[in-house]
Coordinates of all heavy atoms in Angstrom, one line a residue:
V14 N -3.9 -26.5 -123.2 CA -3.9 -26.7 -121.8 C -2.5 -27.1 -121.4 O -2.0 -28.1 -121.9 CB -4.9 -27.7 -121.3 CG1 -4.8 -27.9 -119.8 CG2 -6.3 -27.2 -121.7
A15 N -1.9 -26.4 -120.5 CA -0.5 -26.7 -120.0 C -0.6 -27.8 -119.0 O -1.5 -27.9 -118.2 CB 0.1 -25.5 -119.4
G16 N 0.4 -28.7 -119.0 CA 0.5 -29.8 -118.1 C 1.1 -29.3 -116.8 O 1.5 -28.2 -116.7
P17 N 1.2 -30.2 -115.9 CA 1.8 -29.9 -114.6 C 3.3 -29.5 -114.8 O 3.9 -30.0 -115.7 CB 1.7 -31.1 -113.7 CG 1.5 -32.2 -114.7 CD 0.9 -31.6 -115.9
G18 N 3.8 -28.7 -113.9 CA 5.2 -28.3 -114.0 C 6.1 -29.4 -113.6 O 5.7 -30.5 -113.3
P19 N 7.4 -29.1 -113.6 CA 8.4 -30.1 -113.1 C 8.0 -30.6 -111.7 O 7.6 -29.8 -110.9 CB 9.7 -29.4 -113.2 CG 9.5 -28.2 -113.9 CD 8.0 -27.8 -113.8
R20 N 8.2 -31.9 -111.5 CA 7.9 -32.5 -110.2 C 9.0 -32.2 -109.2 O 10.1 -32.1 -109.6 CB 7.5 -33.9 -110.3 CG 8.7 -34.8 -110.8 CD 8.3 -36.2 -110.9 NE 9.4 -37.0 -111.5 CZ 10.4 -37.5 -110.8 NH1 10.5 -37.3 -109.5 NH2 11.3 -38.2 -111.4
M21 N 8.6 -32.2 -107.9 CA 9.6 -32.1 -106.9 C 10.5 -33.3 -106.9 O 10.0 -34.4 -107.1 CB 8.9 -32.0 -105.5 CG 7.9 -30.8 -105.4 SD 8.7 -29.4 -104.7 CE 8.6 -29.7 -103.0
L22 N 11.8 -33.1 -106.6 CA 12.7 -34.2 -106.5 C 13.2 -34.3 -105.0 O 13.5 -33.3 -104.4 CB 13.9 -34.0 -107.4 CG 13.6 -33.8 -108.9 CD1 14.8 -33.3 -109.6 CD2 13.1 -35.1 -109.4
T23 N 13.2 -35.5 -104.5 CA 13.7 -35.7 -103.1 C 14.7 -36.8 -103.0 O 14.6 -37.8 -103.7 CB 12.5 -36.1 -102.2 OG1 11.5 -35.0 -102.3 CG2 12.9 -36.2 -100.7
H24 N 15.7 -36.5 -102.2 CA 16.8 -37.5 -102.0 C 17.3 -37.4 -100.6 O 17.9 -36.4 -100.3 CB 17.9 -37.3 -103.0 CG 19.0 -38.4 -103.0 ND1 18.8 -39.7 -103.5 CD2 20.2 -38.4 -102.4 CE1 19.9 -40.4 -103.2 NE2 20.8 -39.6 -102.6
G25 N 16.9 -38.3 -99.7 CA 17.2 -38.2 -98.3 C 16.7 -36.9 -97.8 O 15.5 -36.6 -97.9
A26 N 17.5 -36.0 -97.2 CA 17.1 -34.8 -96.6 C 17.0 -33.6 -97.6 O 16.6 -32.5 -97.2 CB 18.0 -34.4 -95.5
I27 N 17.3 -33.9 -98.9 CA 17.3 -32.8 -99.9 C 16.0 -32.9 -100.7 O 15.6 -33.9 -101.2 CB 18.5 -33.0 -100.9 CG1 19.8 -33.1 -100.1 CG2 18.5 -31.9 -101.9 CD1 21.0 -33.5 -101.0
T28 N 15.4 -31.7 -100.8 CA 14.2 -31.5 -101.7 C 14.5 -30.4 -102.6 O 14.9 -29.3 -102.3 CB 12.9 -31.2 -100.8 OG1 12.7 -32.2 -99.9 CG2 11.7 -31.0 -101.7
L29 N 14.3 -30.7 -103.9 CA 14.5 -29.8 -105.0 C 13.2 -29.5 -105.7 O 12.5 -30.4 -106.1 CB 15.5 -30.4 -106.0 CG 16.4 -29.5 -106.8 CD1 17.3 -28.7 -105.9 CD2 17.3 -30.3 -107.7
D30 N 12.9 -28.2 -105.8 CA 11.6 -27.8 -106.5 C 12.0 -27.1 -107.7 O 12.3 -25.9 -107.7 CB 10.8 -26.9 -105.5 CG 9.5 -26.5 -106.1 OD1 9.2 -26.8 -107.4 OD2 8.6 -26.0 -105.4
P31 N 12.0 -27.8 -108.9 CA 12.4 -27.1 -110.1 C 11.5 -25.9 -110.5 O 12.0 -25.0 -111.1 CB 12.3 -28.2 -111.2 CG 12.5 -29.5 -110.4 CD 11.8 -29.2 -109.1
A32 N 10.2 -26.0 -110.2 CA 9.3 -24.9 -110.6 C 9.6 -23.6 -109.8 O 9.6 -22.5 -110.4 CB 7.9 -25.3 -110.3
A33 N 10.0 -23.8 -108.5 CA 10.3 -22.6 -107.7 C 11.8 -22.3 -107.7 O 12.3 -21.3 -107.1 CB 9.8 -22.9 -106.3
R34 N 12.6 -23.2 -108.3 CA 14.1 -23.1 -108.3 C 14.6 -23.0 -106.9 O 15.5 -22.2 -106.6 CB 14.6 -21.9 -109.1 CG 14.1 -21.9 -110.6 CD 14.6 -22.9 -111.5 NE 16.1 -22.7 -111.8 CZ 16.8 -23.6 -112.5 NH1 16.2 -24.7 -112.9 NH2 18.0 -23.4 -112.7
S35 N 14.1 -23.9 -106.0 CA 14.5 -23.9 -104.6 C 15.1 -25.2 -104.2 O 14.7 -26.3 -104.7 CB 13.4 -23.5 -103.7 OG 12.4 -24.5 -103.6
C36 N 16.0 -25.2 -103.3 CA 16.6 -26.3 -102.7 C 16.5 -26.2 -101.2 O 16.9 -25.2 -100.6 CB 18.1 -26.4 -103.1 SG 19.0 -27.8 -102.3
V37 N 16.0 -27.3 -100.6 CA 15.8 -27.3 -99.1 C 16.5 -28.6 -98.6 O 16.3 -29.7 -99.1 CB 14.3 -27.3 -98.7 CG1 14.1 -27.5 -97.2 CG2 13.6 -26.1 -99.2
V38 N 17.3 -28.4 -97.6 CA 18.0 -29.5 -96.9 C 17.6 -29.5 -95.5 O 17.9 -28.5 -94.8 CB 19.6 -29.4 -97.1 CG1 20.3 -30.5 -96.3 CG2 20.0 -29.4 -98.6
A39 N 17.0 -30.6 -95.1 CA 16.6 -30.8 -93.7 C 15.8 -29.5 -93.2 O 16.0 -29.1 -92.1 CB 17.8 -31.0 -92.8
G40 N 14.9 -29.1 -94.0 CA 14.0 -28.0 -93.7 C 14.6 -26.6 -93.9 O 13.8 -25.6 -93.7
A41 N 15.8 -26.4 -94.2 CA 16.4 -25.1 -94.4 C 16.8 -24.9 -95.9 O 17.3 -25.7 -96.5 CB 17.7 -25.0 -93.6
E42 N 16.4 -23.7 -96.4 CA 16.7 -23.3 -97.7 C 18.2 -23.1 -98.0 O 18.8 -22.6 -97.1 CB 15.9 -22.1 -98.1 CG 16.1 -21.7 -99.6 CD 14.9 -21.5 -100.4 OE1 13.8 -21.5 -99.8 OE2 14.9 -21.4 -101.6
V43 N 18.7 -23.7 -99.1 CA 20.1 -23.5 -99.4 C 20.1 -22.7 -100.7 O 19.5 -23.1 -101.7 CB 20.7 -24.9 -99.6 CG1 22.2 -24.8 -100.1 CG2 20.6 -25.7 -98.4
A44 N 20.9 -21.6 -100.7 CA 21.0 -20.7 -101.9 C 22.0 -21.4 -102.8 O 23.2 -21.5 -102.5 CB 21.4 -19.4 -101.4
L45 N 21.5 -21.7 -104.0 CA 22.4 -22.3 -105.1 C 22.4 -21.3 -106.3 O 21.4 -20.7 -106.6 CB 21.8 -23.6 -105.5 CG 21.7 -24.7 -104.5 CD1 21.2 -26.0 -105.1 CD2 23.1 -25.0 -103.9
T46 N 23.5 -21.3 -107.0 CA 23.5 -20.6 -108.3 C 22.7 -21.4 -109.3 O 22.4 -22.6 -109.0 CB 25.0 -20.5 -108.8 OG1 25.5 -21.8 -109.1 CG2 25.9 -19.8 -107.8
A47 N 22.4 -20.8 -110.4 CA 21.7 -21.5 -111.4 C 22.4 -22.8 -111.9 O 21.8 -23.9 -112.1 CB 21.4 -20.6 -112.6
T48 N 23.7 -22.7 -112.0 CA 24.5 -23.9 -112.5 C 24.5 -25.0 -111.4 O 24.3 -26.2 -111.7 CB 25.9 -23.5 -112.9 OG1 25.8 -22.5 -114.0 CG2 26.7 -24.7 -113.4
E49 N 24.7 -24.6 -110.2 CA 24.7 -25.6 -109.1 C 23.3 -26.3 -109.0 O 23.3 -27.5 -108.8 CB 25.0 -24.9 -107.7 CG 26.4 -24.3 -107.6 CD 26.6 -23.3 -106.5 OE1 25.6 -23.0 -105.8 OE2 27.8 -22.9 -106.3
F50 N 22.3 -25.5 -109.2 CA 20.9 -26.1 -109.1 C 20.8 -27.1 -110.3 O 20.3 -28.2 -110.0 CB 19.9 -24.9 -109.3 CG 18.5 -25.4 -109.1 CD1 17.9 -25.4 -107.8 CD2 17.7 -25.9 -110.2 CE1 16.6 -25.9 -107.7 CE2 16.5 -26.4 -110.0 CZ 15.9 -26.4 -108.7
R51 N 21.2 -26.7 -111.5 CA 21.1 -27.6 -112.6 C 21.9 -28.9 -112.4 O 21.5 -30.0 -112.8 CB 21.4 -26.9 -113.9 CG 20.4 -25.9 -114.3 CD 20.6 -25.0 -115.5 NE 21.4 -25.6 -116.5 CZ 22.4 -25.0 -117.2 NH1 22.6 -23.7 -116.9 NH2 23.0 -25.5 -118.1
I52 N 23.1 -28.8 -111.8 CA 23.9 -30.0 -111.6 C 23.1 -30.9 -110.6 O 23.0 -32.1 -110.9 CB 25.3 -29.6 -111.0 CG1 26.1 -28.9 -112.0 CG2 26.0 -30.8 -110.4 CD1 27.4 -28.3 -111.5
L53 N 22.6 -30.4 -109.5 CA 21.9 -31.2 -108.5 C 20.7 -31.7 -109.1 O 20.3 -32.9 -108.9 CB 21.6 -30.3 -107.3 CG 21.0 -31.1 -106.1 CD1 21.9 -32.2 -105.7 CD2 20.8 -30.1 -104.9
E54 N 20.0 -31.0 -109.9 CA 18.8 -31.5 -110.6 C 19.1 -32.6 -111.5 O 18.3 -33.6 -111.5 CB 18.1 -30.3 -111.4 CG 16.8 -30.7 -112.0 CD 16.2 -29.5 -112.7 OE1 16.9 -28.5 -113.1 OE2 14.9 -29.5 -112.9
L55 N 20.2 -32.5 -112.3 CA 20.6 -33.6 -113.2 C 20.8 -34.9 -112.4 O 20.3 -36.0 -112.8 CB 21.8 -33.3 -113.9 CG 21.8 -32.5 -115.2 CD1 23.2 -32.1 -115.7 CD2 21.0 -33.3 -116.3
L56 N 21.5 -34.8 -111.3 CA 21.8 -36.0 -110.4 C 20.6 -36.5 -109.7 O 20.4 -37.7 -109.7 CB 22.9 -35.6 -109.4 CG 24.3 -35.3 -110.0 CD1 25.2 -34.8 -109.0 CD2 24.9 -36.6 -110.7
M57 N 19.7 -35.6 -109.2 CA 18.5 -36.1 -108.5 C 17.5 -36.7 -109.4 O 16.7 -37.5 -109.0 CB 18.0 -34.9 -107.7 CG 18.8 -34.6 -106.5 SD 18.1 -33.3 -105.4 CE 16.7 -34.1 -104.7
A58 N 17.5 -36.3 -110.7 CA 16.5 -36.9 -111.6 C 16.9 -38.3 -112.0 O 16.1 -39.1 -112.5 CB 16.5 -36.0 -112.9
R59 N 18.1 -38.7 -111.6 CA 18.6 -40.1 -111.9 C 19.3 -40.6 -110.7 O 20.5 -40.9 -110.7 CB 19.6 -40.0 -113.1 CG 19.0 -39.5 -114.4 CD 20.1 -39.1 -115.3 NE 19.6 -38.4 -116.5 CZ 19.2 -37.2 -116.5 NH1 19.2 -36.4 -115.5 NH2 18.7 -36.6 -117.7
P60 N 18.6 -40.8 -109.6 CA 19.3 -41.3 -108.3 C 20.0 -42.6 -108.5 O 19.4 -43.5 -109.1 CB 18.1 -41.3 -107.3 CG 16.9 -41.4 -108.1 CD 17.2 -40.7 -109.4
G61 N 21.2 -42.6 -108.0 CA 22.0 -43.9 -108.1 C 22.6 -44.2 -109.4 O 23.4 -45.0 -109.6
Q62 N 22.2 -43.5 -110.5 CA 22.7 -43.7 -111.8 C 24.0 -42.9 -112.0 O 24.1 -41.7 -111.6 CB 21.7 -43.3 -112.9 CG 20.5 -44.2 -113.0 CD 19.6 -43.9 -114.1 OE1 20.0 -43.1 -115.0 NE2 18.4 -44.4 -114.1
L63 N 25.0 -43.5 -112.7 CA 26.2 -42.8 -113.0 C 26.0 -41.8 -114.1 O 25.4 -42.1 -115.1 CB 27.2 -43.9 -113.4 CG 28.6 -43.4 -113.7 CD1 29.3 -42.9 -112.4 CD2 29.4 -44.4 -114.4
M64 N 26.5 -40.6 -113.9 CA 26.5 -39.5 -114.9 C 27.9 -39.3 -115.3 O 28.7 -38.9 -114.5 CB 25.9 -38.2 -114.3 CG 24.4 -38.2 -114.1 SD 23.5 -38.1 -115.7 CE 23.9 -36.5 -116.3
V65 N 28.2 -39.6 -116.6 CA 29.5 -39.4 -117.1 C 29.7 -37.8 -117.2 O 28.9 -37.1 -117.6 CB 29.6 -40.0 -118.5 CG1 31.0 -39.7 -119.2 CG2 29.3 -41.5 -118.5
R66 N 31.0 -37.4 -116.8 CA 31.3 -36.0 -116.8 C 31.1 -35.3 -118.1 O 30.5 -34.2 -118.1 CB 32.7 -35.8 -116.3 CG 32.9 -36.3 -114.9 CD 34.4 -36.4 -114.5 NE 35.0 -35.0 -114.5 CZ 34.8 -34.2 -113.5 NH1 34.1 -34.5 -112.4 NH2 35.3 -33.0 -113.5
A67 N 31.5 -35.9 -119.2 CA 31.3 -35.2 -120.5 C 29.9 -35.0 -120.8 O 29.5 -34.0 -121.4 CB 32.0 -36.0 -121.6
R68 N 29.0 -36.0 -120.4 CA 27.6 -35.9 -120.7 C 27.0 -34.7 -119.8 O 26.1 -34.0 -120.2 CB 27.0 -37.2 -120.3 CG 25.6 -37.4 -121.0 CD 25.2 -38.8 -120.9 NE 24.2 -39.0 -121.8 CZ 23.5 -40.1 -121.9 NH1 23.8 -41.1 -121.1 NH2 22.5 -40.3 -122.8
M69 N 27.5 -34.6 -118.6 CA 27.0 -33.5 -117.7 C 27.4 -32.2 -118.3 O 26.5 -31.3 -118.3 CB 27.6 -33.6 -116.3 CG 27.0 -34.8 -115.5 SD 27.5 -34.7 -113.8 CE 26.4 -33.4 -113.2
V70 N 28.6 -32.0 -118.8 CA 29.0 -30.8 -119.4 C 28.1 -30.4 -120.6 O 27.7 -29.3 -120.7 CB 30.5 -30.8 -119.8 CG1 30.9 -29.6 -120.7 CG2 31.4 -30.9 -118.6
D71 N 27.9 -31.4 -121.4 CA 27.0 -31.2 -122.6 C 25.6 -30.8 -122.2 O 25.0 -29.9 -122.7 CB 26.9 -32.5 -123.5 CG 28.2 -32.8 -124.2 OD1 29.1 -31.9 -124.2 OD2 28.3 -33.9 -124.7
A72 N 25.0 -31.5 -121.1 CA 23.7 -31.2 -120.6 C 23.6 -29.8 -120.0 O 22.6 -29.1 -120.2 CB 23.2 -32.2 -119.6
L73 N 24.7 -29.3 -119.4 CA 24.7 -28.0 -118.7 C 25.0 -26.9 -119.7 O 24.4 -25.8 -119.6 CB 25.7 -28.0 -117.6 CG 25.4 -29.0 -116.4 CD1 26.6 -29.2 -115.5 CD2 24.2 -28.4 -115.6
W74 N 26.0 -27.1 -120.6 CA 26.4 -25.9 -121.4 C 26.3 -26.2 -122.9 O 26.6 -25.3 -123.7 CB 27.9 -25.6 -121.1 CG 28.0 -25.1 -119.7 CD1 27.7 -23.8 -119.3 CD2 28.5 -25.7 -118.5 NE1 28.0 -23.7 -117.9 CE2 28.5 -24.8 -117.4 CE3 29.0 -27.0 -118.3 CZ2 28.9 -25.2 -116.2 CZ3 29.4 -27.4 -117.0 CH2 29.4 -26.4 -116.0
G75 N 25.8 -27.3 -123.3 CA 25.7 -27.6 -124.7 C 26.9 -28.2 -125.3 O 28.0 -28.0 -124.8
T76 N 26.7 -29.0 -126.4 CA 27.8 -29.7 -127.0 C 28.8 -28.8 -127.7 O 30.0 -29.1 -127.9 CB 27.3 -30.7 -128.1 OG1 26.5 -30.0 -129.0 CG2 26.5 -31.8 -127.4
A77 N 28.4 -27.6 -128.2 CA 29.3 -26.7 -128.9 C 30.0 -25.7 -127.9 O 30.9 -25.0 -128.3 CB 28.5 -25.8 -129.8
S78 N 29.8 -25.9 -126.6 CA 30.4 -25.0 -125.6 C 31.9 -25.4 -125.4 O 32.2 -26.6 -125.3 CB 29.7 -25.0 -124.3 OG 30.3 -24.3 -123.4
P79 N 32.8 -24.4 -125.2 CA 34.2 -24.8 -124.9 C 34.4 -25.0 -123.4 O 35.6 -25.0 -123.0 CB 34.9 -23.5 -125.4 CG 33.9 -22.4 -125.2 CD 32.6 -23.0 -125.5
V80 N 33.4 -25.2 -122.7 CA 33.6 -25.4 -121.2 C 34.3 -26.7 -120.9 O 34.0 -27.7 -121.5 CB 32.2 -25.4 -120.5 CG1 32.3 -25.8 -119.1 CG2 31.6 -24.0 -120.6
S81 N 35.2 -26.6 -120.0 CA 36.0 -27.8 -119.7 C 35.5 -28.5 -118.4 O 34.7 -28.0 -117.7 CB 37.5 -27.4 -119.4 OG 37.6 -26.7 -118.2
D82 N 36.1 -29.7 -118.1 CA 35.8 -30.4 -116.9 C 36.1 -29.6 -115.7 O 35.5 -29.7 -114.6 CB 36.6 -31.7 -116.9 CG 36.0 -32.8 -117.7 OD1 35.0 -32.6 -118.4 OD2 36.5 -33.9 -117.7
R83 N 37.1 -28.8 -115.8 CA 37.6 -27.9 -114.6 C 36.5 -27.0 -114.2 O 36.3 -26.7 -113.0 CB 38.9 -27.2 -114.9 CG 40.0 -28.1 -115.2 CD 40.4 -28.9 -114.0 NE 40.9 -30.2 -114.4 CZ 40.5 -31.4 -113.8 NH1 39.6 -31.4 -112.9 NH2 41.0 -32.5 -114.2
T84 N 35.7 -26.5 -115.2 CA 34.6 -25.6 -114.8 C 33.5 -26.4 -114.0 O 33.0 -25.9 -113.0 CB 34.0 -25.0 -116.1 OG1 35.0 -24.3 -116.8 CG2 32.8 -24.1 -115.8
L85 N 33.2 -27.6 -114.5 CA 32.3 -28.4 -113.8 C 32.8 -28.7 -112.4 O 32.1 -28.6 -111.4 CB 32.1 -29.8 -114.5 CG 31.2 -30.8 -113.8 CD1 29.8 -30.2 -113.6 CD2 31.1 -32.1 -114.7
D86 N 34.1 -29.0 -112.2 CA 34.7 -29.2 -110.9 C 34.6 -28.1 -110.0 O 34.3 -28.2 -108.8 CB 36.2 -29.5 -111.0 CG 36.5 -30.9 -111.7 OD1 35.6 -31.7 -111.7 OD2 37.7 -31.1 -112.2
S87 N 34.7 -26.9 -110.5 CA 34.6 -25.7 -109.6 C 33.1 -25.6 -109.1 O 32.9 -25.3 -107.9 CB 34.9 -24.4 -110.5 OG 34.7 -23.3 -109.7
H88 N 32.2 -25.8 -110.0 CA 30.7 -25.7 -109.6 C 30.4 -26.8 -108.6 O 29.7 -26.6 -107.6 CB 29.8 -25.7 -110.8 CG 29.8 -24.5 -111.6 ND1 29.3 -23.3 -111.2 CD2 30.4 -24.2 -112.8 CE1 29.5 -22.4 -112.1 NE2 30.1 -22.9 -113.1
L89 N 31.0 -28.0 -108.8 CA 30.7 -29.2 -107.9 C 31.3 -28.9 -106.6 O 30.7 -29.2 -105.5 CB 31.4 -30.4 -108.5 CG 30.5 -31.2 -109.5 CD1 31.4 -32.2 -110.2 CD2 29.3 -31.8 -108.9
R90 N 32.5 -28.3 -106.5 CA 33.2 -28.0 -105.2 C 32.3 -27.1 -104.4 O 32.0 -27.3 -103.2 CB 34.5 -27.4 -105.5 CG 35.3 -27.1 -104.2 CD 36.8 -26.7 -104.5 NE 36.9 -25.7 -105.6 CZ 37.4 -26.1 -106.8 NH1 37.8 -27.3 -107.1 NH2 37.5 -25.1 -107.8
N91 N 31.8 -26.0 -105.1 CA 30.9 -25.1 -104.4 C 29.6 -25.7 -103.9 O 29.1 -25.5 -102.8 CB 30.6 -23.9 -105.3 CG 31.8 -23.0 -105.5 OD1 32.8 -23.0 -104.7 ND2 31.9 -22.3 -106.6
L92 N 29.0 -26.5 -104.8 CA 27.7 -27.2 -104.5 C 28.0 -28.2 -103.3 O 27.2 -28.2 -102.4 CB 27.2 -28.0 -105.7 CG 26.0 -28.9 -105.5 CD1 24.8 -28.1 -105.0 CD2 25.7 -29.6 -106.8
R93 N 29.0 -29.0 -103.3 CA 29.3 -29.9 -102.2 C 29.5 -29.1 -100.9 O 29.0 -29.6 -99.9 CB 30.6 -30.7 -102.5 CG 30.3 -31.8 -103.5 CD 31.6 -32.6 -103.8 NE 31.3 -33.8 -104.4 CZ 32.0 -34.3 -105.5 NH1 33.0 -33.6 -106.0 NH2 31.7 -35.5 -106.0
R94 N 30.2 -28.0 -100.9 CA 30.4 -27.2 -99.7 C 29.1 -26.7 -99.2 O 28.8 -26.9 -98.0 CB 31.3 -26.0 -100.0 CG 31.5 -25.1 -98.8 CD 32.4 -23.9 -99.1 NE 32.0 -23.2 -100.3 CZ 31.0 -22.3 -100.4 NH1 30.2 -22.1 -99.4 NH2 30.7 -21.7 -101.6
K95 N 28.2 -26.2 -100.0 CA 26.9 -25.7 -99.6 C 26.0 -26.8 -99.0 O 25.4 -26.6 -98.0 CB 26.2 -25.0 -100.7 CG 26.8 -23.7 -101.1 CD 26.1 -23.1 -102.3 CE 26.8 -21.8 -102.7 NZ 26.1 -21.1 -103.9
L96 N 26.0 -28.0 -99.7 CA 25.2 -29.1 -99.2 C 25.8 -29.6 -97.8 O 25.0 -29.9 -96.9 CB 25.2 -30.2 -100.2 CG 24.4 -29.9 -101.5 CD1 24.6 -31.1 -102.5 CD2 23.0 -29.7 -101.2
A97 N 27.1 -29.6 -97.7 CA 27.7 -30.1 -96.5 C 27.4 -29.1 -95.3 O 27.1 -29.6 -94.2 CB 29.2 -30.2 -96.6
E98 N 27.5 -27.8 -95.6 CA 27.1 -26.9 -94.5 C 25.7 -27.0 -94.1 O 25.4 -26.7 -93.0 CB 27.4 -25.4 -95.1 CG 28.9 -25.1 -95.2 CD 29.1 -23.8 -95.9 OE1 28.2 -23.1 -96.4 OE2 30.3 -23.4 -96.0
A99 N 24.8 -27.5 -95.0 CA 23.4 -27.6 -94.7 C 23.1 -29.0 -94.0 O 22.0 -29.3 -93.7 CB 22.6 -27.4 -95.9
G100 N 24.1 -29.8 -93.9 CA 23.9 -31.1 -93.3 C 23.8 -32.3 -94.2 O 23.5 -33.4 -93.8
A101 N 24.1 -32.1 -95.5 CA 24.0 -33.2 -96.5 C 25.4 -33.4 -97.1 O 25.6 -33.4 -98.3 CB 23.0 -32.9 -97.6
A102 N 26.4 -33.7 -96.2 CA 27.8 -34.0 -96.7 C 27.9 -35.3 -97.5 O 27.1 -36.2 -97.2 CB 28.7 -34.0 -95.5
A103 N 28.8 -35.4 -98.4 CA 29.1 -36.6 -99.2 C 27.9 -37.1 -99.9 O 27.9 -38.3 -100.2 CB 29.7 -37.6 -98.3
V104 N 27.0 -36.3 -100.3 CA 25.8 -36.8 -101.1 C 26.2 -37.0 -102.6 O 25.6 -37.8 -103.2 CB 24.6 -35.9 -100.9 CG1 24.7 -34.6 -101.6 CG2 23.3 -36.6 -101.3
I105 N 27.1 -36.2 -103.0 CA 27.6 -36.4 -104.4 C 28.8 -37.2 -104.4 O 29.8 -36.8 -103.9 CB 27.8 -35.0 -105.1 CG1 26.5 -34.2 -105.1 CG2 28.3 -35.2 -106.5 CD1 26.6 -32.8 -105.6
E106 N 28.8 -38.3 -105.1 CA 29.8 -39.3 -105.1 C 30.6 -39.2 -106.4 O 30.0 -39.2 -107.5 CB 29.2 -40.7 -104.9 CG 30.1 -41.8 -104.4 CD 29.2 -43.0 -104.1 OE1 28.4 -43.4 -105.0 OE2 29.4 -43.6 -103.0
T107 N 31.9 -39.2 -106.3 CA 32.7 -39.3 -107.6 C 33.3 -40.7 -107.7 O 33.9 -41.2 -106.8 CB 33.9 -38.3 -107.5 OG1 33.4 -36.9 -107.4 CG2 34.8 -38.3 -108.7
L108 N 33.1 -41.3 -108.8 CA 33.6 -42.5 -109.2 C 34.8 -42.2 -110.1 O 34.5 -42.0 -111.3 CB 32.6 -43.5 -109.8 CG 31.6 -44.1 -108.8 CD1 30.6 -43.1 -108.4 CD2 31.0 -45.3 -109.3
H109 N 36.0 -42.2 -109.7 CA 37.1 -41.8 -110.4 C 37.3 -42.5 -111.8 O 37.2 -43.7 -111.8 CB 38.4 -41.9 -109.6 CG 38.4 -40.9 -108.5 ND1 38.7 -39.6 -108.6 CD2 38.2 -41.1 -107.2 CE1 38.6 -39.0 -107.5 NE2 38.3 -39.9 -106.5
G110 N 37.4 -41.7 -112.8 CA 37.5 -42.2 -114.2 C 36.2 -42.6 -114.8 O 36.1 -43.1 -115.9
Q111 N 35.1 -42.5 -114.0 CA 33.8 -42.9 -114.5 C 32.8 -41.7 -114.6 O 32.2 -41.5 -115.6 CB 33.2 -44.0 -113.7 CG 34.1 -45.3 -113.7 CD 33.5 -46.3 -112.8 OE1 32.3 -46.6 -112.8 NE2 34.3 -46.9 -111.9
G112 N 32.6 -41.1 -113.4 CA 31.6 -40.0 -113.4 C 31.1 -39.7 -112.0 O 31.8 -39.9 -111.0
L113 N 29.9 -39.2 -111.9 CA 29.3 -38.8 -110.7 C 27.9 -39.5 -110.5 O 27.3 -39.8 -111.4 CB 29.1 -37.3 -110.7 CG 30.3 -36.4 -110.9 CD1 29.9 -35.1 -111.4 CD2 31.1 -36.3 -109.6
R114 N 27.5 -39.6 -109.2 CA 26.2 -40.1 -108.9 C 25.8 -39.6 -107.5 O 26.7 -39.2 -106.7 CB 26.1 -41.6 -109.0 CG 26.8 -42.3 -107.9 CD 26.6 -43.8 -108.1 NE 27.4 -44.5 -107.1 CZ 27.8 -45.8 -107.2 NH1 27.4 -46.5 -108.2 NH2 28.5 -46.3 -106.2
L115 N 24.6 -39.7 -107.2 CA 24.1 -39.4 -105.8 C 24.4 -40.6 -105.0 O 24.1 -41.7 -105.4 CB 22.6 -39.1 -105.7 CG 22.2 -37.7 -106.2 CD1 20.7 -37.6 -106.0 CD2 22.9 -36.6 -105.6
A116 N 25.0 -40.4 -103.8 CA 25.2 -41.5 -102.8 C 23.9 -41.9 -102.2 O 23.0 -41.1 -102.2 CB 26.2 -41.0 -101.8
A117 N 23.9 -43.1 -101.7 CA 22.7 -43.6 -101.1 C 22.5 -42.8 -99.8 O 23.4 -42.4 -99.1 CB 22.9 -45.1 -100.7
C118 N 21.2 -42.5 -99.5 CA 20.9 -41.7 -98.3 C 20.0 -42.7 -97.4 O 19.2 -43.4 -97.9 CB 20.0 -40.5 -98.6 SG 21.0 -39.2 -99.2
P119 N 20.3 -42.6 -96.1 CA 19.4 -43.4 -95.2 C 18.0 -43.0 -95.2 O 17.6 -41.9 -95.5 CB 20.1 -43.2 -93.8 CG 21.0 -42.0 -93.9 CD 21.2 -41.8 -95.4

């Protein structure tokens, strides 16, 4: 017997549905690439917790992958732009030299 699927994740106005692979911000669907979705899912699964960049790269592409931090930066830039356009600006916080985390939402 299969258990329930992945649970919905909510952070402020953002709702992520891993089972449906959908992202909704303030009631409007936001089209994300698979990688953008996985980045947001990683952060939303650990609200407020710092995610070290190298650990994110490993989680997204595997430890044997030659993917660099710059690839992660490119996906983050696109994800931030899409979230900002949907009304969730500055939700992904960069702590320079440390990593990333979701910013507090009212």
Side-chain angles (χ1 to χ4, degrees):
V14 174
R20 63 181 173 83
M21 301 266 280
L22 300 169
T23 303
H24 186 76
I27 304 170
T28 301
L29 207 62
D30 183 349
R34 305 289 291 173
S35 71
C36 175
V37 175
V38 177
E42 182 125 12
V43 177
L45 300 178
T46 66
T48 301
E49 292 164 357
F50 187 91
R51 288 176 31 223
I52 290 169
L53 189 55
E54 184 177 24
L55 274 174
L56 293 170
M57 288 182 70
R59 298 160 188 81
Q62 290 183 15
L63 182 69
M64 284 288 294
V65 177
R66 295 170 64 78
R68 199 165 199 191
M69 286 189 78
V70 169
D71 290 349
L73 293 164
W74 292 285
T76 56
S78 176
V80 171
S81 74
D82 279 3
R83 297 296 146 226
T84 302
L85 177 60
D86 289 341
S87 177
H88 289 288
L89 277 168
R90 185 173 41 255
N91 293 333
L92 175 58
R93 283 180 165 135
R94 177 183 47 79
K95 289 176 181 181
L96 291 174
E98 288 171 357
V104 72
I105 299 173
E106 201 173 49
T107 298
L108 283 78
H109 292 284
Q111 298 178 50
L113 303 158
R114 72 177 175 201
L115 284 184
C118 283

